Amino acid sequence: RVIDGDTFLTKSRKHAVRLANVDAPEKRAKGGTKATQRLKDLIQGKRVEIHTVVRDVYGRAVASVKVSGKSVNKAMSGKTSR
């Protein structure tokens, strides 16, 4: 389940995953709906590879994420300017 343009949940993880080096607008902020939909289009219903870089203060994995060998972080970083 996608939470916003840079954070999502998986069935197999207790805490959410946040895309490393991506600063997407929050869901209700300007551009937030578009960023959230973009991330849904990229990952929802697909098998994702998650490579945790670090955990944040909320316990989320800050990670590099790939789908079919393509970087989700890279795809989102050029599309989420505030």
Side-chain angles (χ1 to χ4, degrees), residues 25-75:
E26 297 303 316
K27 200 178 227 179
R28 293 190 175 116
K30 182 180 178 183
T33 300
K34 189 174 182 179
T36 301
Q37 186 59 52
R38 173 78 175 141
L39 185 57
K40 282 181 183 178
D41 292 345
L42 289 168
I43 69 168
Q44 200 156 316
K46 298 174 184 161
R47 183 179 172 94
V48 296
E49 295 175 46
I50 300 169
H51 302 281
T52 302
V53 176
V54 68
R55 291 212 175 266
D56 68 11
V57 296
Y58 305 106
R60 299 178 296 190
V62 178
S64 173
V65 178
K66 292 184 178 184
V67 172
S68 300
K70 295 183 181 175
S71 173
V72 174
N73 302 62
K74 186 174 181 178

